[in-house]
Amino acid sequence: MTMDEIPFWADLLGSLLLISGSLLTLIGSLGLLRLPNLFSRMHGITLGNTLGLGCVLLASILIASIYAERFVFQEVLITLFMISTSPVTTILLMRSGIYRKRADTGKKPEAGQDTN
Amino acid sequence: MKRWPSLTLFTVILFALWLLLNDSLAPGQLLLGLILTVVITASTAAIRPLRAHPHHLLTALGLFFVVLIDIIRSNIAVAGIILGPAKRRFSSGFMKIPLDLRDPYGLAALACIITATPGTVWAGLSPDGGTLTIHVLDLQDEGAWVRTIKQRYERRLMEIFE
Amino acid sequence: MNGMLPWAISFALIAVALAMIFAAIRLLRGPAAEDRVLALDTLYVNSMIMVLTLGIQFGSRFYFDIALLIALFGFVGSAAIAKFLLRGEVIEP
């Protein structure tokens, strides 16, 4: 089956998922530039890691299943892997940021004073 | 043979992953996957630190959907903050939450849930395990965050793991 | 009315490319080392999304394997650098 023979509902659903996923990724990366400090920037990239990637994976499952005319769900592997690994990197970076901030200022950063 | 039940679950998950990765149910793949998973499970049994005791699988399913809904909701909220006016982008900060959960697997699951939800990042646990520090992007109402984490996640995780 | 998908794919590719440019700017500017690692992390996730989108466009399953490999190596890379920043050593004795 080629791209011209995709049924209308799959065309619509796949397009919606792709557009929303890529927009969320774009907004998350925009957060890297717009948010004021390291700790807030970490929240921005979670957007692309969770729902942005999830929407694109769903679109990929949908279109691949229609091409192959059976249910292909290998993309679940990437989902499982990202769910279990992306928090690890974020938490390590968070702790490293806190540690360095404490080494710089001599005390633990508290709420309200972490603007640079 | 006290370890038998958790080993079986681990083997089944590995076997399913192998078949999914190869995307086939051919007899050769079944045999190879069976040999690999049994060998891997037996050889890594000694370095798995602790046994988990998950029960109430229905609660776990409920928790999964709660987390899914929260991820979708807070994705939209964080996107609004990033695109919104500058005032809201500067209201981030650390906050502390008293914690009753003690099971290490439960704490690991809580860390994954909190970090995977946009808007909150796990920032550390006090040495006695009683106080959790998180970083919140939109720190306006601390009580609401404490209620969310304690009632939506911690209560269910304690049911599952303790 | 059929045929929205090629447009959606083009839109997604442009949006993800723009997101990669933003991450690259943060990678070059980033005041702290943590900012740069964060930008690298974003870059690999974005490139994975781009490869998956290309896979939809060309209808080939090989792109899935590439995306899985990017996920594996990207995680190992950023986790190793983050661990190095935290402890000054990647594999501790």
Side-chain angles (χ1 to χ4, degrees):
Chain A
M1 192 180 272
T2 62
M3 200 176 267
D4 299 328
E5 302 160 23
I6 293 174
F8 176 69
W9 62 271
D11 196 52
L12 186 67
L13 192 60
S15 305
L16 275 181
L17 282 172
L18 264 180
I19 288 174
S20 52
S22 56
L23 268 184
L24 275 172
T25 316
L26 182 61
I27 293 171
S29 301
L30 189 65
L32 277 180
L33 293 186
R34 272 173 76 95
L35 290 171
N37 56 30
L38 170 71
F39 300 123
S40 340
R41 280 180 207 128
M42 278 174 190
H43 302 287
I45 69 157
T46 325
L47 243 68
N49 277 356
T50 54
L51 205 58
L53 183 62
C55 284
V56 176
L57 285 171
L58 273 181
S60 183
I61 290 179
L62 179 73
I63 303 297
S65 303
I66 285 173
Y67 277 151
E69 291 171 344
R70 70 189 171 88
F71 191 43
V72 180
F73 57 107
Q74 275 185 311
E75 274 82 356
V76 174
L77 278 175
I78 296 185
T79 316
L80 284 178
F81 189 75
M82 287 304 289
I83 286 175
S84 52
T85 58
S86 80
V88 176
T89 316
T90 315
I91 292 172
L92 277 176
L93 276 177
M94 190 79 187
R95 295 196 60 80
S96 151
I98 293 173
Y99 176 74
R100 291 207 168 192
K101 192 139 194 141
R102 194 186 297 160
D104 283 348
T105 60
K107 58 183 289 221
K108 195 178 176 192
E110 293 295 334
Q113 67 162 56
D114 60 313
T115 47
N116 56 7
Chain B
M1 273 300 159
K2 264 186 77 179
R3 285 168 161 261
W4 188 242
S6 101
L7 280 189
T8 317
L9 186 64
F10 187 52
T11 317
V12 169
I13 292 172
L14 266 186
F15 189 55
L17 278 183
W18 174 263
L19 290 181
L20 195 56
L21 190 60
N22 283 299
D23 200 18
S24 80
L25 281 174
Q29 293 293 352
L30 287 176
L31 187 66
L32 189 59
L34 201 63
I35 294 171
L36 272 179
T37 48
V38 168
V39 168
I40 288 173
T41 319
S43 56
T44 57
I47 60 171
R48 294 181 70 206
L50 273 176
R51 277 192 59 191
H53 302 276
H55 33 260
H56 299 300
L57 287 179
L58 217 58
T59 319
L61 201 66
L63 181 69
F64 174 77
F65 284 109
V66 166
V67 172
L68 198 66
I69 290 168
D70 278 7
I71 283 179
I72 293 173
R73 259 203 340 222
S74 52
N75 258 293
I76 296 166
V78 171
I81 290 174
I82 290 176
L83 294 175
K87 194 173 121 295
R88 292 195 67 199
R89 279 183 267 140
F90 285 88
S91 61
S92 65
F94 289 91
M95 60 174 287
K96 289 188 177 356
I97 294 175
L99 211 60
D100 302 316
L101 187 68
R102 286 293 182 273
D103 184 83
Y105 284 99
L107 286 172
L110 188 63
C112 273
I113 291 172
I114 288 178
T115 311
T117 315
T120 50
V121 173
W122 172 286
L125 192 65
S126 65
D128 61 344
T131 314
L132 163 70
T133 312
I134 64 173
H135 185 270
V136 183
L137 183 57
D138 190 14
L139 190 66
Q140 310 231 340
D141 182 8
E142 289 202 15
W145 286 108
V146 172
R147 273 197 304 278
T148 308
I149 286 174
K150 285 198 85 71
Q151 288 176 6
R152 287 178 80 88
Y153 310 140
E154 194 194 4
R155 190 171 50 79
R156 288 189 173 86
L157 281 171
M158 282 173 80
E159 264 181 52
I160 295 170
F161 284 104
E162 287 182 356
Chain C
M1 194 53 205
N2 214 352
M4 253 177 302
L5 199 58
W7 294 99
I9 289 172
S10 308
F11 177 85
L13 284 177
I14 293 170
V16 177
L18 212 57
M20 285 172 87
I21 290 173
F22 290 158
I25 292 174
R26 178 51 71 191
L27 179 68
L28 294 174
R29 271 208 343 216
E34 281 86 1
D35 287 297
R36 297 177 203 266
V37 182
L38 207 61
L40 266 183
D41 201 63
T42 318
L43 265 181
Y44 97 77
V45 174
N46 288 354
S47 64
M48 191 163 67
I49 291 176
M50 189 174 248
V51 165
L52 282 169
T53 316
L54 285 174
I56 296 176
Q57 180 172 18
F58 296 120
S60 161
R61 292 303 293 166
F62 290 115
Y63 288 88
F64 162 78
D65 298 333
I66 301 174
L68 194 60
L69 282 178
I70 291 178
L72 284 168
F73 286 113
F75 163 68
V76 173
S78 3
I81 303 175
K83 181 82 194 304
F84 180 76
L85 289 180
L86 182 62
R87 304 295 294 259
E89 219 169 357
V90 178
I91 301 169
E92 294 174 40

